[in-house]
Amino acid sequence: MFIISGSSPKQQDLGEQRAPCPDCQQETSQRLQRHYRVIHVFWFPLFSLGTKYVRICGRCNLHTEVPEQQVGPVPVAPLLHRMGGLFPVAALAFCCVGFPLVNAVVSLGTGDSSGSSQQQEQQAGRQGFDQRFEAQAEDLAVETTIQSAFEEQGHQSVTVSASSASVKEHVIRVVSAQTPRLKKVSDGDRIRMLEMMEAEADKRFANDEVFLGLRGKLLWGGYSHRAPGGKWKRVVDGTTSSPMVDAFEALLQREAALPPSAPDAVPTPEPTAAPSVVDDTAR
C-alpha cells in the first residue's frame, strides 16, 4: 500500500499596519502576512508547522520577519490547516465506538416490542404449542423440499421446520426458516425467501391455513399468512409477529368457536299399565 504524504507552503494576509521601514527610514504602510507549512497525507491537511510573520513595506516591498509577540491580535489560521488531523481520527473513533453505541441504543428502543414477542411465544409454548402442533408426514415432506431449495440458493445456514394442528376439518400449519445471519439478509432476499415458501405451501396445502416465518437468532424478521383459499399477507421488517404465536391463537379461536357438545340423551321410560282393581261389591 502506497501512502502519499508531504507538505506545502501557505500564506495568509492579516491586514495592514503602519510600522517603521528599515530601508525607507520612515513609517510606512505595511502588509502583514502569516507564512507556514501544512503537512498532508493524500493531500488531506493534518497540521501546520514553521509559522512565522512577515511585514511587507508598501513603498519599497521590503520583507521583514516580525516576532510573534509584536504581531498583536490577528485572525487565526484555517481550522483544517491547524487541526485537520482530528477529522480522520474522529471518523475512526466513531466507526469503532459510535456505531456500537448507536446499535445498542436502537436495540434498547426495539427491545420492548421484541421482548413482548418473545414473551408471547414463550407463553404460547407454555400453554401447549409444542404439544398441539406436531410434524406430520406432509410437514416433513415440505420441510425437506424447502430446506433443499434454500441450500441451492446458497442459504447454507438456514434450518427449516414445519408442524401442524387441526380443529375438525380445519388444518393450521406453521413453516419457519431460522438462520443466525438473518440481520445480514436484505429485505429483497427475505421477500424472495418468503415467496418460495408461499409457492410450496400453495402447492401442497391449498386448503389449509398456513403461517410462515423467517427467524434470526432470537427475533422474527419475516412473516406471511394465508387463510384457506385466500391471498398471502406478507410483512418484512426488523421485527415481525411470531407465526407460532399467531397460529396457536388461531387454533384456540377455532376451538372456542365450536358449538358445545350436547349431553347424552336420557331414555324416556315407557309408560306402565295401571294395576287392575277388582270390585268385590258386585259379588
Side-chain angles (χ1 to χ4, degrees):
M1 178 180 177
F2 293 97
I3 298 178
I4 302 176
S5 62
S7 64
S8 58
K10 301 291 182 181
Q11 68 178 33
Q12 180 184 11
D13 288 326
L14 303 177
E16 293 188 357
Q17 295 180 348
R18 293 195 64 83
C21 174
D23 227 17
C24 299
Q25 298 296 321
Q26 61 178 337
E27 188 178 85
T28 60
S29 177
Q30 301 185 26
R31 288 184 293 118
L32 180 64
Q33 290 183 344
R34 177 189 286 120
H35 294 252
Y36 56 93
R37 300 192 69 84
V38 174
I39 306 300
H40 57 76
V41 174
F42 291 109
W43 297 279
F44 186 86
L46 299 180
F47 56 89
S48 61
L49 50 79
T51 302
K52 62 181 180 179
Y53 296 88
V54 175
R55 285 198 185 109
I56 304 172
C57 179
R59 182 176 179 184
C60 65
N61 205 36
L62 176 67
H63 288 58
T64 305
E65 187 172 347
V66 182
E68 185 176 358
Q69 294 79 4
Q70 300 179 12
V71 172
V74 291
V76 297
L79 180 63
L80 278 179
H81 292 175
R82 291 182 291 116
M83 296 182 292
L86 292 179
F87 289 91
V89 172
L92 181 61
F94 180 77
C95 293
C96 297
V97 180
F99 279 133
L101 288 177
V102 171
N103 290 334
V105 172
V106 172
S107 299
L108 289 176
T110 59
D112 294 339
S113 59
S114 62
S116 62
S117 178
Q118 295 175 22
Q119 291 176 1
Q120 287 178 349
E121 186 171 334
Q122 293 172 0
Q123 183 179 2
R126 288 194 300 267
Q127 290 177 350
F129 175 86
D130 293 336
Q131 289 75 22
R132 299 298 302 275
F133 283 79
E134 299 179 352
Q136 306 297 332
E138 301 88 350
D139 303 316
L140 296 176
V142 75
E143 181 179 306
T144 302
T145 302
I146 296 177
Q147 182 78 51
S148 300
F150 280 148
E151 292 177 355
E152 291 177 359
Q153 294 177 0
H155 301 291
Q156 301 295 333
S157 62
V158 175
T159 302
V160 180
S161 61
S163 57
S164 60
S166 61
V167 178
K168 295 297 183 181
E169 302 298 327
H170 187 84
V171 181
I172 301 175
R173 301 187 186 272
V174 179
V175 183
S176 63
Q178 184 171 8
T179 171
R181 301 174 58 87
L182 186 62
K183 281 188 176 181
K184 299 182 179 180
V185 179
S186 65
D187 289 351
D189 287 339
R190 295 186 192 187
I191 291 175
R192 283 185 283 273
M193 293 172 71
L194 286 174
E195 287 176 344
M196 189 272 292
M197 297 171 70
E198 292 168 359
E200 193 65 29
D202 286 337
K203 186 188 305 182
R204 295 175 180 267
F205 310 133
N207 298 322
D208 301 336
E209 185 175 5
V210 183
F211 293 85
L212 307 176
L214 300 177
R215 188 178 187 180
K217 290 182 179 180
L218 293 175
L219 307 181
W220 296 92
Y223 175 90
S224 192
H225 170 248
R226 188 214 62 197
K231 294 183 179 180
W232 290 100
K233 297 179 180 179
R234 186 187 314 124
V235 178
V236 172
D237 202 350
T239 304
T240 62
S241 300
S242 167
M244 294 181 178
V245 172
D246 290 355
F248 188 70
E249 290 181 352
L251 181 70
L252 296 180
Q253 291 175 2
R254 284 279 174 177
E255 291 177 342
L258 291 176
S261 56
D264 295 336
V266 179
T268 304
E270 295 181 358
T272 56
S276 57
V277 179
V278 180
D279 188 2
D280 293 337
T281 59
R283 296 181 181 179

